[in-house]
Amino acid sequence: MTIATPAGAARDGHTDRSGPGTPPPQLPGPDRADRADRAGPPALRRAARATVPYWLIAPFFVLFIAFGLFPMLYTAWISLTDRDMLRPGAEKFIGLRNYIDLLSDDFFWNAAGNTFLLMAMSSVPQLVLALVLAHTLNARLRGRTLFRMGVLLPNITSIVAVTIVFSQIFGRQFGLISWALDTVGLDPINWQAGEWTSKIAIAAMVIWRWTGYNALIYLAAMQAIPREHFEAAAMDGAGTWRQLWHITLPALRPTIAFTALVSIIGQIQLFTEPLLFDTSPGSVSGGNSRQFQTLALLLYEESFRLHNFGYGSAIAWLMFLVTVVFAAGAYLVTRNSSRLTRGSR
């Protein structure tokens, strides 16, 4: 005779007191000591947690040492030697002779003057226009997303294409500007031959290409400023441009220092624009009288045209030291501005 077992009864004869829908009791799992033993000793786990961040950033430093630090140190060694590119193995250690010769080289000082003059003519108008453009794009405009995308188009355009187009615009005989001058009865200008006209043309290329890029950086920084500041200023009667001067500019000091530093580094390395602007094919002299030769062009000329690797390496290291000086200045400006910002709060 079979006796029916109630639904809640357990197979071992004990009654299951859990209600309907209650999950069955779980089997006892491994205790914490067993899990800790499988994970390893505590000291090993602590060491793993401490070293994981270093393993994650190690690839960057490996690549930097291989392709950045080592070439830089090797260039410093080459700058202390007299080395001809066409005579490998015949180099001779001469110490600081290349640097001493540089300080008495008229071509070097001419290239340095052209570089810093182009830096002033390009960086200052570029950053001012970028700031005004970012302030305009930060306002409530129709289709502002389209305009924000449009300001970046010059930056993504090939620098070779930009230089060729501007060389045609500033052409002496068939250039657009020469045609405009001819329509009003003025003589055409030989932009490549003039001391200032050549620099104006090169600066125009740099300004057109990089203004939108800096404007987007300023726009991102402006959007991080609390809107309450602008609303309070508007309630006090401050207009748009007064808000720019008294609210936006103080808040953008670190960003302005960063963009100024990046612009200065780019101007120290200015190479493609003056190279392609020269009317003589393949010339790296920066015009017939070197009127727009930059330090980068002089480095290329000494290293790869005249094969003076030691002299060219000395120019490269002086450019690096100048960049370090400007970077230190930008750091001091950024740090002082952050202190002023914290003190004003």
Side-chain angles (χ1 to χ4, degrees):
M1 179 176 179
T2 304
I3 301 175
T5 306
R11 292 183 178 180
D12 58 356
H14 297 283
T15 304
D16 187 2
R17 300 181 182 276
S18 59
T22 303
Q26 300 292 330
L27 295 176
D31 56 4
R32 296 180 180 177
D34 294 337
R35 291 196 298 268
D37 291 339
R38 288 199 300 267
L44 184 60
R45 285 184 281 116
R46 286 196 298 268
R49 286 196 298 266
T51 57
V52 163
Y54 296 97
W55 286 108
L56 293 176
I57 63 175
F60 165 77
F61 286 99
V62 170
L63 294 176
F64 172 73
I65 293 173
F67 300 102
L69 184 61
F70 173 73
M72 186 170 60
L73 296 178
Y74 189 64
T75 303
W77 162 251
I78 294 177
S79 68
L80 303 177
T81 62
D82 182 10
R83 178 172 305 206
D84 191 340
M85 181 179 174
L86 300 180
R87 292 185 300 166
E91 60 272 4
K92 181 175 63 175
F93 181 80
I94 58 174
L96 299 177
R97 179 64 181 273
N98 287 324
Y99 295 93
I100 296 174
D101 291 342
L102 269 179
L103 296 180
S104 59
D105 189 353
D106 294 335
F107 290 161
F108 170 76
W109 289 112
N110 173 71
N114 292 335
T115 301
F116 286 105
L117 188 57
L118 284 171
M119 181 188 302
M121 296 175 63
S122 303
S123 299
V124 176
Q126 173 191 149
L127 298 181
V128 172
L129 290 175
L131 189 63
V132 174
L133 185 59
H135 184 69
T136 305
L137 293 175
N138 197 32
R140 296 179 179 178
L141 300 174
R142 291 183 179 179
R144 58 181 178 180
T145 302
L146 180 62
F147 289 112
R148 292 174 181 177
M149 294 172 58
V151 296
L152 197 60
L153 290 178
N155 182 250
I156 64 177
T157 306
S158 171
I159 186 173
V160 177
V162 172
T163 308
I164 292 176
V165 170
F166 270 84
S167 298
Q168 297 299 320
I169 292 176
F170 289 100
R172 180 181 181 181
Q173 296 180 350
F174 305 103
L176 179 62
I177 297 180
S178 297
W179 172 81
L181 294 175
D182 184 66
T183 56
V184 295
L186 298 177
D187 295 331
I189 299 175
N190 190 353
W191 296 90
Q192 285 84 359
E195 177 74 22
W196 285 98
T197 55
S198 58
K199 293 181 176 63
I200 291 174
I202 295 174
M205 301 180 200
V206 179
I207 293 171
W208 183 85
R209 189 166 187 263
W210 292 102
T211 298
Y213 172 81
N214 291 310
L216 289 184
I217 296 178
Y218 289 151
L219 179 61
M222 288 178 183
Q223 293 179 345
I225 303 175
R227 302 300 302 176
E228 294 81 5
H229 296 175
F230 297 100
E231 294 174 357
M235 293 178 62
D236 292 338
T240 302
W241 297 106
R242 195 166 186 179
Q243 293 177 15
L244 172 65
W245 185 260
H246 293 283
I247 298 177
T248 305
L249 285 181
L252 292 184
R253 284 175 183 172
T255 308
I256 294 174
F258 168 75
T259 53
L261 175 61
V262 173
S263 178
I264 288 172
I265 293 174
Q267 293 305 308
I268 292 176
Q269 303 173 357
L270 189 63
F271 178 79
T272 308
E273 288 87 347
L275 174 65
L276 297 180
F277 187 68
D278 199 338
T279 54
S280 301
S283 175
V284 292
S285 60
N288 297 328
S289 58
R290 299 179 181 266
Q291 64 268 20
F292 55 89
Q293 185 183 46
T294 60
L295 286 174
L297 285 177
L298 180 63
L299 187 156
Y300 186 88
E301 181 183 21
E302 291 290 342
S303 300
F304 299 101
R305 292 292 175 86
L306 303 178
H307 311 296
N308 297 326
F309 256 32
Y311 201 72
S313 299
I315 298 174
W317 255 89
L318 283 180
M319 293 169 62
F320 170 73
L321 294 177
V322 170
T323 304
V324 170
V325 170
F326 279 109
Y331 169 74
L332 293 176
V333 170
T334 305
R335 187 181 63 175
N336 294 334
S337 63
S338 61
R339 286 180 178 180
L340 292 175
T341 304
R342 287 196 301 266
S344 62
R345 292 178 182 175

